[in-house]
Amino acid sequence: MTDVLTPVLTANWADDRAWTLAAYEAHGGYQALDKALQLSPEELVELVKDSGLRGRGGAGFPTGMKWSFIPKDNPNPTYLVVNADESEPGTCKDIPLMMASPHTLVEGVIIASRAIEARQAFIYVRGEVLHVVRRLRAAVREAYEAGHVGTDIHGSGMDLDIVVHAGAGAYICGEETALLDSLEGRRGQPRLRPPFPAVAGLYASPTVINNVESIASVPAIVRGGVSWFGSMGTEKSKGHTIYSLSGHVKRPGQYEAPLGITLRELLDLSGGMRDGAELKFWTPGGSSTPILTAEHLDVPLDYEGVSAAGSMLGTKALQIFDQTTSVVRCVLRWTEFYKHESCGKCTPCREGTWWMVQILRRLDRGEGQPGDIETLLDLCDNILGRSFCALGDGATSPITSAIQYFRDEFEAGLTTPSAELFPPSASTLFAATALAGKGAAS
Amino acid sequence: MTTNDPAQSPLPDSVDGMVTQTPTEHAETPIGPTTLAELKELAGRYPQSRSALLPMLHLVQSVQGRVTTEGIETCARILDLSEAEVSAVATFYTMYKRRPMGTHHVGVCTNTLCAVMGGDEIFERLCGHLDVGNDETTADGAITLERVECNAACDFAPVVMVNWEFFDQQTPESAIDLVERLRAGERVASPRGAQITSWREAERVLAGFEDGRVDEGPAAGEASLAGLRIAQERGWEAPPLEEDSGTGRGGETKQEAAAEADTQRAEAETVAEQSPADVEGGADDD
């Protein structure tokens, strides 16, 4: 039995100048690279496959399997692209990782590049995080200077270039094929699949796209091995991962634990709900994952457990809302987000999110019309599975799940404004500190 | 944000037969030889030059304060694209601004979690205080205010961004104080970032040029460390790495000696890791 919390990725975040090469190496950094250079690319792919590491960006696809899809007979160069476009509402794990320990990611990039035999890697980081971009660029520069990146790495004959690429503000670029179009200097719109990126990705060449946390998990797997990684987590969801707690809890933040911890345990660690608060609803993995309620406190937060509860593990972004919060207001705001970020390529998502916002706005104002709830559900039914990419699917999740659990609040929207039922001022951080009479905001 | 934006017109505004310029036009530095060389340098960093378009547009903004017609034409020329192709990209992404920007960009997160935690109230109060609406610039040209989507700092909600640096756990009062200090030209530093310079200087870093501020600020904010602190207090940790020494280091290399030394240092560190004694060190950097 492992400890309740198992810091691996987060273990060095409190170190003095953790972002520097010196601090990272003092913590054992770049030892995994030495070990990886002793292994063949095939052995590395097998290692990560055997470890059971699954994608930490939301979909949970086995990372080693993704790597193994790269064809060996394709004449084009192979590329590794790191999806560092962390933008899913509620999700806030990759940004602090890259801020505190960018070298963990860089080392993972080098090892993953060796596994898929890529000589060029890109880190596509969202543009709206200036200091993270600084830290990444400096880490890559330091890695070059130390000979960890560049030509003939550690005398192994391996060559690798890494480019840190800042995006320009578009949630859709977190979708992997939209990210590729964006990285090619185009509007970030998703591509039709097949062909899949493993065959025709960046510049129509074989490409692996992995989330930051997935790649950053690789160095420890190389050092610790398959059984070490598998000693944490559950049977089908192996390893450690970062859970991000936000909202009406006493101590929001990043909690790295074995997969399968429950919200009850996490709430217990974080001091529980803020004073006087009861859990009303929460997202297990960002706004695109159907909301859950207090009845799901003991659901194991792994891929299977959350799926069985009717939602998705997603990015493990646990946004916690208490009884002061209007679910209609929240769903409206999320839907406005999806409408704003819809790339416009396909009709169900572009038009559907627009119509859903119109209906939700009048429900939020207390001016809903009979049949609005049914129309919303009908719209969701016409978007889910009929959109070009997962953005449209995600846009339906908050609506259908919120109506499932809180239909009466939507019905109240026919007569009463949400702000009257749930005054927004009661939900704020500063309201909480005023009520509790302590300086939690400091 | 459309191509019909008047500020985007290729012809100078003409009033009563006199050619006029908006005041902000004067602030636009033309794209000179240095910028041209830097734009070409960015194009050279990629296997296919078009990949540099997003960074190049960031650089155009850093020089000209927005994406100008001149900037679009220049990028198109360097990358051998049509101006329409470049415009199509420039209008897709929210960080590209077609209207002149204030010295500082202030973004208030009003996505759901931050909105609920107080972002809506902060945004409204700032609108009133600065007498601007969304995506508008104050009369003195100091601040452009914008509602922004989730900025990946939900554990620090409600969040305000200044030139894409984090300001955590804000209140309406702290946000008003923040913009007043920015307007007064006072020295302002992000609690999880560097000293605030200007939106244009930030855009230059995003384009791909380091500014020497990487070592400012801490490694992490307290919320980022919440789980780690508890683990340290309770002596919890991940199972020890196997560190199987069976990996024969067949090919001796120049780095071999250094790698061995690192291993020993790391073993010492593994013990030290259990002590939280040195965790506060990073805070003195700025």
Side-chain angles (χ1 to χ4, degrees), chain A residues 239-255:
Chain A
H240 52 87
T241 195
I242 303 174
Y243 293 92
S244 309
L245 240 69
S246 61
H248 294 135
V249 295
K250 279 241 178 68
R251 201 171 172 182
Q254 308 302 316
Y255 294 80

Side-chain angles (χ1 to χ4, degrees), chain A residues 2-8 10-11 13-20 25-28 31 34-35 38 79 86-92 95-96 99-100 120 122 124 126-131 133-135 137-138 141 154-155 163 165-170 172-173 182-189 203 220 223-224 227-228 231-232 245-248 251-255 269 319 321 325 329-330 333-334 337 340-341 343 425 427-430 441-442, chain B residues 45-48 50-51 53-55 58 88-89 91-96 110-113 115-118 120-122 147 149-155 157-158 161 163-166 169-172 192-194 202 205-211 213-220 223-231 233-244 247-250 253 255 259 262-263 265-266 269 273 278-282 285:
Chain A
T2 50
D3 288 338
V4 180
L5 294 175
T6 50
V8 176
T10 57
W13 290 8
D15 288 4
D16 185 21
R17 293 168 60 84
W19 61 89
T20 61
E25 289 189 335
H27 206 92
Q31 285 180 19
D34 278 326
K35 199 168 168 184
Q38 313 286 334
Y79 296 104
E86 183 168 65
S87 307
E88 168 76 10
T91 309
C92 48
I95 293 302
M99 178 100 87
Q120 173 82 57
F122 297 91
Y124 185 110
R126 66 182 300 185
E128 302 98 322
V129 285
L130 178 61
H131 210 51
V133 174
R134 281 195 187 102
R135 294 259 163 100
R137 288 198 198 291
R141 172 173 46 75
H154 295 201
V163 170
H165 181 96
I172 187 60
C173 292
S182 180
L183 185 52
E184 289 182 0
R186 303 168 194 278
R187 294 163 79 91
Q189 292 189 318
Y203 312 134
R223 282 180 68 191
S227 58
W228 169 81
S231 71
M232 293 170 277
L245 240 69
S246 61
H248 294 135
R251 201 171 172 182
Q254 308 302 316
Y255 294 80
L269 292 172
Q319 306 175 88
F321 299 93
T325 317
R329 176 190 178 203
C330 288
R333 192 59 60 88
W334 278 321
F337 165 76
H340 183 249
E341 299 299 331
C343 79
S425 59
S427 300
T428 65
L429 179 74
F430 21 97
S442 63
Chain B
R45 290 183 186 179
Y46 294 84
Q48 294 187 14
R50 183 172 176 160
S51 283
L53 181 52
L54 267 63
H58 280 304
V89 172
T91 51
F92 185 82
Y93 298 92
T94 53
M95 290 178 79
Y96 297 135
T110 55
N111 200 299
T112 307
L113 189 113
V116 166
M117 298 301 287
D120 276 356
E121 204 172 318
I122 291 169
R147 299 167 62 128
E149 298 294 3
C150 184
N151 224 99
C154 317
D155 46 345
M161 307 298 293
N163 306 334
W164 306 116
E165 292 267 25
F166 292 108
Q169 290 161 329
Q170 292 294 294
T171 64
R192 281 193 295 142
V205 178
L206 297 180
F209 299 96
E210 293 193 73
D211 67 352
R213 295 188 181 276
V214 65
D215 290 332
E216 295 180 29
S224 306
L225 302 175
L228 180 62
R229 297 281 194 227
I230 291 169
E233 282 160 20
R234 305 191 188 183
W236 290 341
E237 48 186 22
L241 294 166
E242 282 168 10
E243 299 288 2
D244 79 276
T247 315
R249 294 174 186 275
T253 67
Q255 282 81 7
D262 278 348
T263 308
R265 204 163 70 215
E269 282 291 321
E273 261 174 71
D278 62 341
V279 295
E280 298 291 352
D285 287 317

Side-chain angles (χ1 to χ4, degrees), chain B residues 63-91:
Chain B
V63 175
Q64 305 208 296
R66 65 185 178 101
V67 176
T68 58
T69 304
E70 185 190 11
I72 287 173
E73 289 167 352
T74 309
C75 291
R77 209 163 46 242
I78 292 170
L79 299 177
D80 198 20
L81 298 171
S82 72
E83 286 152 30
E85 285 172 306
V86 176
S87 280
V89 172
T91 51

